[in-house]
Amino acid sequence: DIFLINFETELNKLETSKFQKCVSKIFANKILKDFYKSDYKVLKKSNKPYIKNNPLYLSIAHSENLVAIVYDKDIVGFDVEFIKKRDYEKILKFFNLEAENVSQIEFYQIWTNYEASFKSCLKVPCNNFIYKNYVCSLSSKNNALPVIYEITIPKNKINDNELINLKLVKDSAKNENEVVIQEINIASLEFLPPETLKIE
């Protein structure tokens, strides 16, 4: 299950980074409690999230105004990057690739595949898709298409206390302290073909 959490607020770069970490921490536990009906807590070991004594594995990624939290019954890695113009020549050199031979989407696919595979420690092809203006990569032993959910944090809920008090629900919100988890029809997403460039 992939949970894509959008926050609709204008923040500077430092504030965005702090808010991403806050959303990651709070929502990883909220999803466990409200969606999976579990009392387990997400912990960190060597700066990597895990759930002690629980059969679920997770991976967390963020970019710009999006936080992604992925749960799986097996080891999983996920990465997401906002698509924007950038000088990516230095990053491609890491992969022994020349910038003129790689399109912008291929670049983001290579980058997110690498990050997702690094997080999972798996050497399997990644599932790649475009969500809004983000390239997403999922590294998992399971080749089935994932179930993807979307959560949107209202603009007025941007501090820790308000986020902690939010309850996640699967149907329409009943009050201002509820946020809807909505399943995305994956047919509406653009799934990318497997990356053909060899990454060592």
Side-chain angles (χ1 to χ4, degrees):
D1 295 331
I2 300 174
F3 298 87
L4 300 173
I5 305 162
N6 301 281
F7 50 95
E8 304 171 335
T9 187
E10 297 293 324
L11 301 169
N12 67 39
K13 195 169 183 177
L14 181 60
E15 290 171 330
T16 298
S17 177
K18 287 180 180 177
F19 195 65
Q20 288 169 341
K21 290 175 184 169
C22 177
V23 168
S24 301
K25 181 178 179 182
I26 291 171
F27 275 75
N29 285 306
K30 278 194 172 304
I31 292 166
L32 274 177
K33 181 181 177 191
D34 295 345
F35 187 85
Y36 293 107
K37 307 299 183 200
S38 170
D39 290 328
Y40 288 99
K41 298 282 183 209
V42 174
L43 306 170
K44 275 198 172 183
K45 183 177 184 179
S46 302
N47 211 26
K48 190 172 180 178
Y50 76 101
I51 309 165
K52 188 175 182 181
N53 301 324
N54 186 285
L56 288 175
Y57 292 84
L58 81 151
S59 183
I60 297 173
H62 39 73
S63 180
E64 300 289 328
N65 286 17
L66 183 71
V67 172
I69 302 173
V70 180
Y71 290 92
D72 199 326
K73 291 178 181 172
D74 208 331
I75 296 168
V76 64
F78 190 83
D79 193 49
V80 59
E81 284 297 330
F82 182 71
I83 301 168
K84 61 184 176 185
K85 288 187 178 181
R86 66 171 74 214
D87 178 11
Y88 47 83
E89 195 169 325
K90 285 182 183 176
I91 296 172
L92 287 174
K93 281 184 181 176
F94 176 78
F95 298 108
N96 296 317
L97 298 170
E98 297 294 327
E100 62 268 9
N101 298 329
V102 179
S103 73
Q104 185 182 46
I105 294 299
E106 286 173 327
F107 162 71
Y108 281 105
Q109 193 175 0
I110 291 165
W111 185 0
T112 58
N113 279 359
Y114 175 79
E115 292 288 334
S117 298
F118 179 80
K119 290 177 181 180
S120 71
C121 298
L122 297 171
K123 293 187 186 275
V124 296
C126 293
N127 277 324
N128 304 277
F129 61 93
I130 295 175
Y131 165 78
K132 297 186 177 180
N133 289 326
Y134 297 87
V135 172
C136 304
S137 291
L138 174 68
S139 174
S140 169
K141 289 180 183 176
N142 183 355
N143 278 340
L145 289 177
V147 180
I148 304 172
Y149 299 93
E150 185 176 55
I151 301 168
T152 301
I153 300 173
K155 288 181 183 178
N156 61 339
K157 306 289 182 186
I158 60 166
N159 68 48
D160 295 13
N161 289 337
E162 288 174 318
L163 289 176
I164 289 169
N165 291 328
L166 287 176
K167 181 170 175 56
L168 303 180
V169 294
K170 286 179 84 173
D171 53 11
S172 59
K174 295 173 183 146
N175 65 55
E176 64 179 24
N177 286 328
E178 292 183 345
V179 174
V180 178
I181 297 176
Q182 183 174 352
E183 187 171 343
I184 295 175
N185 178 352
I186 59 171
S188 68
L189 300 174
E190 180 185 351
F191 278 81
L192 301 172
E195 181 51 61
T196 55
L197 296 166
K198 179 99 174 128
I199 301 171
E200 296 296 331

